[in-house]
Amino acid sequence: MFKRHRRLRANSTIRDMVRETVLNPNDFIYPIFVVEGHNIKSEISSLKGNYHYSIDMLDDIIEKVKQLGVKGVILFGIPDHKDEVATPAFEENGIVQRAVKKIKALAPELYVITDVCMCEYTSHGHCGIIHGHEVDNDDTLEYIAKIALSHAKSGADMVAPSDMMDGRVLLIRNILDENGFKNVPIMSYSAKYCSAFYGPFREAANSAPKFGNRKSYQMDPANVREAMLEIEDDINEGADIIMVKPAMSYLDVVRLARDRYDLPIAAYNVSGEYAMVKAAAEMGYIDEKAVAMEMLTSIKRAGANMIITYFALDACKWLREE
Ligand code: PBG
């Protein structure tokens, strides 16, 4: 006697009925890159199908996001000047702050998340304050908190610190609470690995470090128990949502976090993961739609509740085609 597992795979009706993981537009968060200037919509060469937008050009893309049913976007700003302490990141009239206001005016119901970090705004490209060649944890914290507060003041629905300094969730929670933003949640990039998969993003955001690397603050790809410690601390410091990043090479981390913690989990399907699919599809080696949907399904199956992905809009279109 053996079990005939194939009975439940016999046709698409029964396959639909027993499917365990089903993607829908609510799963996706779409990253948007905003630049200074006017009348700019230029394709990001490393992230085909994604664009740099000046604020006056956001209308169409926001309309598209809404029409496709995506509920949230995460904003990245590329300022036109940088300095040692990332001043343009916390200016009241900074690029992200203005973009948030514009998007909330265009689509009040669209959920606007902001990436809270310094690397796009520092002349040295690191995610914090530099002393010598070291990124100083404690000196960075007040800047990260200031950036988060300025995003909340501009109307961000949620802030997402991606700098990997220890203690930042606690400081952000405190500063938000003290300033009347008790209800603004924190989505923490808790287990953010020092990954080569961020390459295309750094080109898109002009945020590659000018010296050294991020190994002293982002996590070693070899470690998973350490990720649980990071997540646990972020939860204790007040994170509302925890994130694992990147997604594809870290599905074990997503699964373990899902089994251990009850908070919503976000996974970031990062730029390199996207660019590899695009490049291979362009070469005719793989079927872009099938591979992308299989990847997104696997991220959800591993336990992610939210998937930040450059495929968000295409995935919604593909779901409609099915
Ligand atoms: C900012 C930040 C990075 C990404 C998201 N936020 C880059 C980095 O840490 O170097 C990467 C996203 C992607 O690769 O898609 N710190």
Side-chain angles (χ1 to χ4, degrees):
M1 251 290 271
F2 55 85
K3 169 90 181 156
R4 294 197 180 275
H5 295 284
R6 292 179 52 191
R7 286 180 193 130
L8 299 186
R9 295 175 202 147
N11 57 58
S12 68
T13 307
I14 186 61
R15 287 195 297 271
D16 286 348
M17 291 170 74
V18 300
R19 184 162 301 121
E20 296 172 38
T21 307
V22 181
L23 291 170
N24 73 66
N26 295 339
D27 298 327
F28 308 128
I29 296 169
Y30 185 57
I32 294 182
F33 295 88
V34 203
V35 294
E36 294 286 0
H38 293 283
N39 207 23
I40 297 168
K41 180 190 175 186
S42 65
E43 192 169 41
I44 300 169
S45 58
S46 59
L47 287 173
K48 293 247 162 61
N50 292 268
Y51 297 81
H52 283 135
Y53 297 96
S54 54
I55 290 179
D56 58 324
M57 294 291 279
L58 284 169
D59 301 54
D60 288 354
I61 184 67
I62 294 303
E63 187 54 35
K64 206 169 175 190
V65 166
K66 270 173 35 178
Q67 272 174 12
L68 286 166
V70 171
K71 300 281 164 65
V73 293
I74 182 161
L75 300 186
F76 296 95
I78 298 122
D80 55 6
H81 63 289
K82 302 177 187 237
D83 64 21
E84 287 275 302
V85 297
T87 307
F90 48 85
E91 280 170 345
E92 199 186 316
N93 228 7
I95 180 76
V96 163
Q97 290 78 354
R98 277 179 287 134
V100 171
K101 281 181 202 137
K102 165 87 187 226
I103 294 172
K104 292 308 289 183
L106 289 171
E109 69 293 346
L110 184 66
Y111 206 84
V112 177
I113 306 165
T114 55
D115 181 84
V116 174
C117 197
M118 293 170 72
C119 58
E120 294 118 78
Y121 306 87
T122 47
S123 41
H124 44 73
H126 277 287
C127 304
I129 301 295
I130 299 282
H131 291 323
H133 271 185
E134 285 283 307
V135 176
D136 189 277
N137 192 83
D138 297 13
D139 282 355
T140 300
L141 291 177
E142 67 175 283
Y143 286 90
I144 293 294
K146 250 197 306 202
I147 298 169
L149 177 61
S150 79
H151 291 175
K153 279 183 176 162
S154 66
D157 292 298
M158 180 152 80
V159 293
S162 66
D163 53 293
M164 287 301 278
M165 298 303 125
D166 294 321
R168 93 268 210 202
V169 173
L170 182 65
L171 259 86
I172 292 173
R173 188 68 272 157
N174 287 344
I175 203 170
L176 292 179
D177 289 355
E178 285 160 12
N179 286 277
F181 297 105
K182 286 196 167 60
N183 291 323
V184 172
I186 300 171
M187 174 164 77
S188 179
Y189 288 71
S190 302
K192 178 175 177 179
Y193 287 88
C194 189
S195 170
F197 286 96
Y198 306 151
F201 173 96
R202 290 182 188 168
E203 191 183 323
N206 185 21
S207 66
K210 298 283 181 297
F211 62 87
N213 53 51
R214 303 207 203 290
K215 286 185 185 172
S216 76
Y217 41 106
Q218 298 181 346
M219 283 186 53
D220 183 340
N223 295 354
V224 62
R225 294 193 297 267
E226 185 187 354
M228 298 304 112
L229 297 173
E230 282 278 5
I231 289 170
E232 204 162 307
D233 280 337
D234 282 359
I235 294 173
N236 291 335
E237 289 179 28
D240 300 280
I241 296 172
I242 53 183
M243 195 198 299
V244 174
K245 174 188 173 188
M248 290 306 298
S249 293
Y250 300 85
L251 294 182
D252 57 326
V253 184
V254 174
R255 168 47 55 194
L256 195 59
R258 175 71 296 148
D259 289 344
R260 284 209 196 174
Y261 305 108
D262 291 326
L263 267 68
I265 296 176
Y268 200 138
N269 180 214
V270 300
S271 57
E273 298 171 337
Y274 175 85
M276 288 196 309
V277 176
K278 284 295 209 196
E282 218 164 84
M283 294 296 287
Y285 298 155
I286 59 169
D287 174 337
E288 179 183 353
K289 170 181 168 181
V291 167
M293 293 308 261
E294 186 175 330
M295 278 173 46
L296 295 169
T297 302
S298 72
I299 296 168
K300 186 168 182 180
R301 189 199 63 229
N305 309 91
M306 313 163 103
I307 306 171
I308 303 175
T309 178
Y310 305 96
F311 282 118
L313 304 184
D314 286 334
C316 290
K317 264 182 245 153
W318 292 328
L319 285 170
R320 283 182 188 182
E321 286 165 14
E322 272 171 8

